[in-house]
Amino acid sequence: MIEQFESIILALMQPKKSEGAFSLFDPAAQFDTECTDQGGMAQALNAAFLITLSGPRHLEFEQAKRFLTRLADSPVWKDAARFYLNGINLIHAELSTLCQQDPDFSNRLKDLSAWLAEKRKKNLSEAAEKIWSVFFPEATGIQANKEECVEALRKKRTVTITELNPNPISDPAQEILFTSNVLLTLPPASKSQDELRLTDPLKKELLKVAREPQLFWYDHPIQIGVEPEKNEVLHGLRGLSQTMAFERGHGTASPHDRLTCVLSVSVTHRGLRGIANKYLEEEFAHSNSLRNMDVYVFTEADTQRMVKEVLAPAARFYLKSDEADDLLSVLGVDGEYGRHYSFLKAIAAFWSVFIQPKIRATFKIDLDQSFPQEKLITQTGASAFEHFKTPLWGAYGLDRRGQPLELGMIAGFLVNAQDIGKSLFFPDVLFPERALSPDEYIFFSTLPQAYSTEAEMMTRYNTNKLDGKKTCIQRVHVTGGTNGILISSLRCHRPFTPSFFGRAEDQAYILSVFPKENTRLTYVHKDGLVMSHNKEAFAQEAIQSAHLGKLVGDYVRILYFSAYAHTLTNDVSKLKEAINPFTGCFVSRLPTTVVYLRFGLKAASFFNTGQKKEGLEFISVGARRIMEALDFIRGQNSLLKQTYEKERLGWNLYYDTLSAIEDAFEHNDEFSLELQKKAKNIVNQCYVRLGSK
């Protein structure tokens, strides 16, 4: 089968010599071994990889292979060269294994090889479908059958309600803990120290941090020192404040009600941990328009105090846990997206036990989002708070296969700010109508994303088939903000996102409860619960600066989702069928092959458009991060599997500890009351004042 694979890559990596030929591009044009500048060397290295994948029939094969081997011993280029050489071996091994296990895949590989060899004109859409059939089957058939696909997915997601929630949320201001995450990174490269609106001590600290390596990559972190109008945390909190003011005027909140909002703080560089609180204090001091809420900011230091002073002592005392400190360290906010995402759900249970028993749910937003209240009233007939009161949230039902479901989570959806004038129900991801870039012939998640956006998020409960009373749909595809969970469901099912997920933490959250055979926890789709997505309006520089890190994170996402699925279940095909098309497309049968091909073609595209600096950075950062990810998922008892299993134990201990403390409260246990004092003290120290009340 390796011969067929090499013939496919050879066909795709050739100049178009005849009218019937189809190729993505010609890497030989980028294979210049005489280059001396770093960008040129990186370009040649990447081209050599793609040529070598094409096999011995490529005219430059021997020279490309020698070039890779020689650079593998170079002090400067050894890491990148070994990354590529290792990739070739991993791809061959992965393909051989899958062909042995799956005759159908082997036949598709042969068919693609034969089709590419045919001497006839090939159109682009046909080429995409043929190539996707091997590397990205999740996309096949969608473009030509959009309406049928959307209808089929809605049918698949339909839930028959067996019991509406008899006690739904009735007072969102008092019963929902709103949460979000503050992502901090270094100041914009375009600003000098003198331009930063910061105190001198902060500027000094930032100079030290700038010399540190970056540890974590986020989509569009807040750049310290950015102008207030471009600062996401100020934007997001201002939006919540306005939401509360509107609800008071609308009669869905009392004049004295205040929202409670918990913010976690995650940083891209270790040295920012000590700066984060001081920076936010300075930003909030400049603000005079944030009212109507109580905000608590939790750093990693605060979460570790929660563990060391409250949770671990309780686990040792009530549950006799010898590993409490280690296992409960799963609670935290620094690191990849998964870590703070799980914290922002789990904190609601802590809050209801120690701080405010009235809290019954949590709802997470992203700070670049806001509720368009006037349009919600006009187009949906309900405000944000009124949508939260739906008895669908907490209902029970049956899926199309008859499996019982608990709709303990709720999911709204987003409309892009520039589209909100058209309608609240305008998809934030549209079916693509553009030409594909070379790497998108290998993996094109935008297509299933648009498909599931239309099928799931755009569903309205206005037909007999879907009325929002007897029937609704469950959501698999959710966004990082605009979703929530009831604390009763949280404590019963204990979902979490493992801390190693640096992308799609929202998609990963539900996977931890999927392999259940009994009543399964899922999201209910709330039609009309819409937030405006405003990131394009004020965070352009942050988005651009994080672009390469986000790209690489998308490749790591494929490796992690694919390995995680095998950790969760022995029947990956069943899990994948349940979460297709969008979430499932990242659970690949050829994760290493797809990642390496995407990576090589994307790097080539940078060089092809003259972006040598970006291409060099992409290869330098990407090779390191992907190799680390491959090491993390390697083996039957991989580090990924070990991490997941340990974190599952940690979250189980967390919820067991909260239950033990609650039981102790009922008996006025002295130790539990002391723990409550410590918990309240920690939380009170996290309180921040926003403008004037």
Side-chain angles (χ1 to χ4, degrees):
M1 290 302 122
I2 300 304
E3 292 80 6
Q4 267 116 14
F5 172 74
E6 288 178 339
S7 73
I8 291 168
I9 303 303
L10 179 65
L12 297 178
M13 303 295 163
Q14 290 281 355
K16 294 180 182 177
K17 296 178 180 177
S18 65
E19 187 177 340
F22 176 84
S23 68
L24 298 180
F25 95 116
D26 179 15
Q30 294 187 357
F31 185 47
D32 181 2
T33 59
E34 302 301 318
C35 283
T36 56
D37 65 285
Q38 286 196 317
M41 285 291 287
Q43 173 181 287
L45 195 61
N46 186 72
F49 163 70
L50 293 172
I51 291 168
T52 306
L53 273 186
S54 302
R57 287 196 295 155
H58 196 290
L59 296 176
E60 304 278 359
F61 174 79
E62 291 297 339
Q63 187 180 0
K65 191 173 181 181
R66 285 195 301 271
F67 184 70
L68 283 172
T69 304
R70 176 166 60 84
L71 289 190
D73 294 323
S74 160
V76 177
W77 295 103
K78 63 180 181 181
D79 290 340
R82 290 173 185 176
F83 162 73
Y84 284 126
L85 286 168
N86 188 46
I88 294 168
N89 294 330
L90 290 172
I91 288 170
H92 287 178
E94 186 173 70
L95 284 163
S96 297
T97 300
L98 185 55
C99 284
Q100 290 172 7
Q101 295 173 346
D102 187 352
D104 180 61
F105 173 80
S106 181
N107 289 332
R108 279 184 276 127
L109 197 68
K110 292 176 185 175
D111 290 345
L112 177 57
S113 176
W115 181 83
L116 287 168
E118 291 177 4
K119 304 296 184 184
R120 66 176 180 82
K121 188 174 182 179
K122 302 172 177 70
N123 66 54
L124 297 180
S125 60
E126 182 186 16
E129 292 285 334
K130 289 287 186 180
I131 298 169
W132 286 339
S133 72
V134 170
F135 299 107
F136 193 56
E138 297 82 2
T140 56
I142 296 175
Q143 286 282 38
N145 305 283
K146 293 175 187 173
E147 291 184 8
E148 294 91 338
C149 286
V150 167
E151 184 60 31
L153 184 56
R154 282 187 182 151
K155 186 176 180 181
K156 177 181 175 180
R157 297 279 190 260
T158 296
V159 176
T160 301
I161 301 297
T162 56
E163 180 187 356
L164 291 169
N165 186 351
N167 184 29
I169 295 293
S170 60
D171 187 355
Q174 296 296 311
E175 294 177 315
I176 297 178
L177 182 71
F178 289 84
T179 66
S180 193
N181 183 245
V182 181
L183 305 165
L184 292 182
T185 192
L186 294 171
S190 59
K191 283 188 178 293
S192 68
Q193 286 277 311
D194 292 338
E195 293 178 281
L196 297 177
R197 190 176 59 110
L198 302 169
T199 58
D200 288 337
L202 262 183
K203 290 180 183 179
K204 275 187 181 180
E205 289 296 322
L206 285 171
L207 285 173
K208 296 178 187 175
V209 178
R211 294 191 286 268
E212 296 179 0
Q214 184 165 338
L215 298 178
F216 305 106
W217 283 259
Y218 305 124
D219 286 3
H220 44 95
I222 297 168
Q223 297 169 302
I224 291 178
V226 73
E227 296 88 345
E229 62 272 16
K230 296 181 180 179
N231 190 317
E232 275 193 34
V233 67
L234 296 179
H235 176 274
L237 294 180
R238 190 177 299 115
L240 276 181
S241 179
Q242 291 167 352
T243 292
M244 189 65 222
F246 183 93
E247 298 290 352
R248 286 173 178 167
H250 189 58
T252 43
S254 75
H256 303 295
D257 277 348
R258 299 173 64 80
L259 285 183
T260 302
C261 179
V262 166
L263 299 178
S264 61
V265 181
S266 304
V267 296
T268 57
H269 296 68
R270 189 177 302 277
L272 293 179
R273 291 173 176 174
I275 296 175
N277 249 359
K278 182 62 178 172
Y279 165 66
L280 290 173
E281 286 175 7
E282 289 190 12
E283 285 298 297
F284 295 153
H286 292 300
S287 171
N288 57 10
S289 61
L290 303 176
R291 305 178 181 180
N292 309 316
M293 69 179 83
D294 295 312
V295 176
Y296 299 81
V297 175
F298 285 80
T299 65
E300 184 69 14
D302 299 315
T303 60
Q304 291 314 298
R305 281 189 66 197
M306 291 167 60
V307 171
K308 291 176 182 176
E309 297 181 23
V310 180
L311 295 168
R316 288 193 297 270
F317 185 80
Y318 295 113
L319 303 176
K320 312 305 178 188
S321 172
D322 296 328
E323 300 177 283
D325 290 271
D326 185 33
L327 291 177
L328 290 169
S329 65
V330 71
L331 189 81
V333 298
D334 261 354
E336 302 285 12
Y337 276 98
R339 185 164 165 83
H340 76 247
Y341 192 83
S342 294
F343 168 81
L344 290 174
K345 303 295 189 188
I347 187 63
F350 183 94
W351 212 269
S352 68
V353 170
F354 287 109
I355 310 301
Q356 178 49 269
K358 287 184 180 180
I359 293 292
R360 298 177 55 208
T362 182
F363 190 82
K364 181 181 178 292
I365 70 164
D366 286 341
L367 292 169
D368 58 359
Q369 299 168 189
S370 59
F371 289 106
Q373 293 278 46
E374 295 286 355
K375 291 188 180 295
L376 284 177
I377 296 293
T378 302
Q379 295 183 36
T380 74
S383 69
F385 279 16
E386 287 171 319
H387 282 294
F388 288 132
K389 296 179 181 182
T390 174
L392 288 174
W393 191 6
Y396 288 85
L398 301 173
D399 69 10
R400 66 169 185 153
R401 298 181 183 277
Q403 181 181 15
L405 302 175
E406 179 181 328
L407 302 171
M409 298 190 287
I410 191 170
F413 54 98
L414 301 173
V415 59
N416 290 324
Q418 64 268 30
D419 297 324
I420 202 167
K422 302 170 188 174
S423 170
L424 287 180
F425 299 91
F426 193 87
D428 68 327
V429 179
L430 297 170
F431 279 102
E433 301 292 342
R434 57 177 174 76
L436 300 179
S437 60
D439 60 295
E440 289 173 336
Y441 283 90
I442 304 299
F443 191 92
F444 190 38
S445 59
T446 303
L447 183 54
Q449 183 180 13
Y451 165 26
S452 63
T453 296
E454 183 67 36
E456 294 188 32
M457 299 182 181
M458 295 296 104
T459 298
R460 304 291 301 275
Y461 296 145
N462 54 9
T463 66
N464 289 332
K465 288 183 179 179
L466 286 168
D467 61 6
K469 296 175 182 176
K470 296 179 181 179
T471 55
C472 65
I473 67 165
Q474 59 171 309
R475 287 273 293 279
V476 173
H477 179 189
V478 300
T479 54
T482 327
N483 70 74
I485 183 169
L486 295 172
I487 292 174
S488 57
S489 299
L490 180 69
R491 294 182 63 172
C492 175
H493 296 273
R494 304 173 177 189
F496 71 100
T497 299
S499 63
F500 47 76
F501 278 107
R503 293 276 296 147
E505 71 288 351
D506 43 4
Q507 306 293 305
Y509 190 72
I510 197 172
L511 294 184
S512 65
V513 297
F514 248 110
K516 288 194 173 185
E517 295 301 324
N518 51 0
T519 301
R520 179 168 59 80
L521 176 65
T522 192
Y523 291 95
V524 64
H525 168 67
K526 181 61 184 81
D527 68 332
L529 183 58
V530 191
M531 295 192 76
S532 173
H533 201 190
N534 309 311
K535 67 177 181 179
E536 302 292 343
F538 66 91
Q540 278 300 311
E541 189 168 3
I543 294 169
Q544 187 57 41
S545 69
H547 176 63
L548 292 181
K550 181 179 178 180
L551 271 179
V552 175
D554 215 34
Y555 306 152
V556 172
R557 174 181 180 180
I558 296 171
L559 296 174
Y560 282 2
F561 264 71
S562 302
Y564 186 46
H566 284 277
T567 296
L568 290 172
T569 178
N570 292 323
D571 193 350
V572 174
S573 60
K574 181 180 178 182
L575 173 62
K576 185 172 168 59
E577 192 276 334
I579 61 177
N580 275 340
F582 181 53
T583 302
C585 79
F586 289 90
V587 179
S588 174
R589 301 189 72 192
L590 288 170
T592 305
T593 303
V594 166
V595 165
Y596 266 98
L597 285 175
R598 282 188 78 189
F599 183 85
L601 290 169
K602 176 56 74 174
S605 295
F606 281 121
F607 296 123
N608 203 41
T609 53
Q611 300 177 80
K612 277 194 174 184
K613 180 181 177 183
E614 290 81 358
L616 173 62
E617 183 182 352
F618 179 71
I619 289 174
S620 300
V621 173
R624 176 177 58 79
R625 289 182 62 193
I626 292 171
M627 281 300 292
E628 289 173 353
L630 288 167
D631 287 341
F632 190 64
I633 65 173
R634 188 178 64 240
Q636 290 294 317
N637 190 33
S638 66
L639 287 173
L640 180 146
K641 184 174 185 288
Q642 294 176 48
T643 302
Y644 162 74
E645 290 175 346
K646 180 180 177 181
E647 292 187 0
R648 166 56 74 191
L649 291 174
W651 286 116
N652 283 342
L653 181 59
Y654 172 78
Y655 291 110
D656 287 344
T657 301
L658 292 180
S659 295
I661 293 170
E662 268 189 332
D663 290 343
F665 283 164
E666 290 183 5
H667 298 91
N668 289 316
D669 176 77
E670 186 176 340
F671 186 60
S672 69
L673 297 176
E674 284 299 316
L675 290 174
Q676 185 174 44
K677 288 180 183 177
K678 291 180 180 179
K680 288 184 174 181
N681 181 53
I682 293 169
V683 168
N684 287 337
Q685 289 182 30
C686 293
Y687 177 79
V688 294
R689 190 175 297 277
L690 303 177
S692 57
K693 293 187 179 180

